[in-house]
Amino acid sequence: MATRLPSPPRVGMVSLGCPKNLVDSERILTKLRSDGYAMSPDYAGADVVLVNTCGFLDSAKEESLEAIGEAIAENGRVIVTGCMGQEAETIRARFPQVLAVTGAHQYEQVVEAVHEAAPPIPSPFVDLVPESGLKLTPRHYSYLKISEGCNHRCSFCIIPSIRGDLVSRRPDAILREAEKLVAAGTKELLVISQDTSAYGIDIRRTPRPWKGREVVPHMTDLARELGQIAPWVRLHYVYPYPHVDQVIPLMAEGLVLPYLDIPFQHAAPNVLRAMKRPANDAKVLERLRGWREVCPDIAIRSSFVVGFPGETEADFQYLLDWLDEAQLDRVGAFRFEPVEGAAANALPDPVPEEVKEERYARIMERTAAISAAKLAAKIGRTIDVIIDEVGDEGATGRSTADAPGIDGEVFLRDAAHLTQGDIVKVEIEDADDHDLYGVPVTQ
């Protein structure tokens, strides 16, 4: 008589916040899958639901609390983890029925809580986990986290109090993970951390053996090695330290995508000082010009905060003028929002909400015009595009200047023959403020 395998307990996951949280969720699910758990795509089929929370802003906290409430209402058996886990008392006061609360990147505690809530059923007959682990992103791109925590103490940010100081991973461990991801189908590696430029400084750049040679834990060395593993490597959360200049030649060579995600946050010296961030805007503009000389196709994306305490109309106009000169390719903006525990909350001269809204509208209008002009200049060019989705008549993809979920897209006609993950040549036929339109180039 054939052996009937018992049905494994099923785990549901709600993952909120940034890509770093998404990587945490993938690690948790990979460990649970290796312990014999199955994954549930909905509340009804789950024996327990994990909610990986974000606690960066008060609005993010409220979204996390709403997600916890929904999970409790729909399922009833909920474990909370992530950045908001440090506020366990707040969570339990509102939702006393949660089974457990753990903090950010506390993987073992989360797994232990799941084991207690829904004990695993061991089975020696099934190979449960692919070598690359479980993913929450499409097969063709993957986030690769190279460090935890941050050594900066920006006045508006509470990340160091949540995730601690910088802790870099060993370069050989990162490269091993990258190889597994690429072997499993990844075409694009998105390198993430709180501060990618600072990678390795906490482990004193001690070399590690890798394939018969030594690799130094430094952003440039790591980027060079990753560029030999994956077709596309994209760098996120890069602070403009002087050594970032060393990465630009790798982009010109084609080893790394010509793309940098740099969180400038503002340009006015007074605001930057209040934010406790570097305040040398002229030097940054000079370096942007230098980078474009080395790699003319480099795309710079950034994010800015408007309405920071003490920001005057003159400060905001300074930012707009700086953006006109900087000509950044992709820009996101956020209205300043106090978050509990941030030093900026105590700063004088808060900006009224209606002024924040007006400035937000102005910066988005200004940056959209810059983006539109830059994209219009690409009409008639042939560029590389990675395919994200394919439909009956066309496809949607991204250029080297576009990260998933935050930048623009490339919409393709006559592309139903393509496959998700393909990297193809595309002739650009049209553009709008944020997106491109084109057709695959026949070989």
Side-chain angles (χ1 to χ4, degrees), residues 310-362:
E311 181 192 60
T312 64
E313 176 59 27
D315 291 328
F316 181 70
Q317 186 59 51
Y318 189 105
L319 171 59
L320 294 182
D321 294 342
W322 187 89
L323 287 167
D324 283 340
E325 189 165 355
Q327 291 289 297
L328 304 183
D329 299 81
R330 301 296 192 188
V331 171
F334 304 89
R335 308 159 189 84
F336 173 75
E337 183 180 323
V339 59
E340 186 176 348
N345 299 347
L347 292 175
D349 303 320
V351 176
E353 292 300 319
E354 61 272 18
V355 176
K356 290 182 190 178
E357 290 296 329
E358 186 265 344
R359 290 177 182 172
Y360 174 80
R362 286 163 63 193

Side-chain angles (χ1 to χ4, degrees), residues 70-187:
E70 178 180 322
I72 289 174
E74 296 291 334
N75 181 277
R77 296 176 57 76
V78 177
I79 293 170
V80 178
T81 187
C83 294
M84 205 179 167
Q86 67 168 359
E87 301 184 33
E89 293 182 3
T90 299
I91 294 170
R92 290 191 180 281
R94 185 158 168 178
F95 305 109
Q97 61 270 62
V98 296
L99 302 177
V101 181
T102 71
H105 54 85
Q106 292 181 344
Y107 312 118
E108 294 182 2
Q109 292 91 324
V110 176
V111 171
E112 288 175 3
V114 174
H115 283 189
E116 185 174 341
I121 303 174
S123 174
F125 301 99
V126 181
D127 184 12
L128 296 170
V129 179
E131 189 176 9
S132 61
L134 298 184
K135 297 174 81 273
L136 297 176
T137 54
R139 186 168 180 256
H140 63 288
Y141 68 82
S142 302
Y143 292 100
L144 182 65
K145 186 189 288 189
I146 64 173
S147 65
E148 293 282 3
C150 182
N151 290 342
H152 295 285
R153 294 297 183 266
C154 302
S155 62
F156 56 84
C157 182
I158 61 171
I159 291 296
S161 65
I162 296 174
R163 293 184 174 265
D165 289 336
L166 176 73
V167 179
S168 300
R169 296 178 62 196
R170 289 172 43 162
D172 51 328
I174 296 170
L175 296 172
R176 217 168 5 253
E177 180 181 350
E179 282 195 332
K180 290 180 179 179
L181 290 168
V182 170
T186 292
K187 300 288 186 66

Side-chain angles (χ1 to χ4, degrees), residues 170-438:
R170 289 172 43 162
D172 51 328
I174 296 170
L175 296 172
R176 217 168 5 253
E177 180 181 350
E179 282 195 332
K180 290 180 179 179
L181 290 168
V182 170
T186 292
K187 300 288 186 66
E188 179 182 8
L189 291 172
L190 299 110
V191 178
I192 59 171
S193 65
Q194 296 296 336
D195 181 359
T196 295
S197 311
Y199 170 70
I201 63 173
D202 58 312
I203 50 180
R204 301 182 183 278
R205 299 183 178 170
T206 303
R208 292 287 182 177
W210 174 252
K211 295 188 178 298
R213 60 186 185 279
E214 290 191 331
V215 177
V216 177
H218 181 272
M219 183 181 73
T220 306
D221 298 74
L222 184 66
R224 182 182 297 109
E225 295 291 339
L226 289 172
Q228 298 175 41
I229 294 174
W232 280 20
V233 176
R234 190 181 300 277
L235 301 178
H236 286 276
Y237 311 115
V238 176
Y239 282 73
Y241 304 144
H243 68 260
V244 173
D245 295 352
Q246 302 168 21
V247 179
I248 311 305
L250 301 183
M251 298 178 178
E253 294 170 23
L255 272 178
V256 180
L257 290 184
Y259 177 100
L260 279 180
D261 177 2
I262 302 177
F264 289 119
Q265 307 297 3
H266 214 281
N270 292 336
V271 178
L272 289 170
R273 278 192 289 270
M275 289 178 168
K276 295 188 177 178
R277 295 179 66 81
N280 194 341
D281 61 301
K283 183 68 172 178
V284 169
L285 290 172
E286 180 183 327
R287 293 180 66 210
L288 289 176
R289 287 190 288 271
W291 294 348
R292 287 166 175 152
E293 289 176 2
V294 175
C295 184
D297 285 335
I298 190 171
I300 309 294
R301 96 157 327 269
S302 190
S303 55
F304 295 87
V305 177
V306 300
F308 193 79
E311 181 192 60
T312 64
E313 176 59 27
D315 291 328
F316 181 70
Q317 186 59 51
Y318 189 105
L319 171 59
L320 294 182
D321 294 342
W322 187 89
L323 287 167
D324 283 340
E325 189 165 355
Q327 291 289 297
L328 304 183
D329 299 81
R330 301 296 192 188
V331 171
F334 304 89
R335 308 159 189 84
F336 173 75
E337 183 180 323
V339 59
E340 186 176 348
N345 299 347
L347 292 175
D349 303 320
V351 176
E353 292 300 319
E354 61 272 18
V355 176
K356 290 182 190 178
E357 290 296 329
E358 186 265 344
R359 290 177 182 172
Y360 174 80
R362 286 163 63 193
I363 192 173
M364 295 310 294
E365 181 181 8
R366 182 71 58 91
T367 56
I370 294 171
S371 174
K374 281 181 163 282
L375 294 178
K378 295 184 179 183
I379 296 174
R381 290 184 56 188
T382 297
I383 65 172
D384 289 333
V385 171
I386 189 167
I387 303 302
D388 288 332
E389 296 181 13
V390 179
D392 293 336
E393 298 182 357
T396 304
R398 291 174 290 107
S399 73
T400 59
D402 302 306
I406 56 174
D407 294 324
E409 294 178 307
V410 183
F411 296 96
L412 308 182
R413 64 176 178 86
D414 301 334
H417 62 285
L418 298 176
T419 302
Q420 186 185 61
D422 286 347
I423 298 175
V424 297
K425 297 289 184 183
V426 172
E427 181 182 348
I428 300 304
E429 300 176 316
D430 201 359
D432 58 26
D433 287 357
H434 302 290
D435 302 313
L436 295 169
Y437 301 83

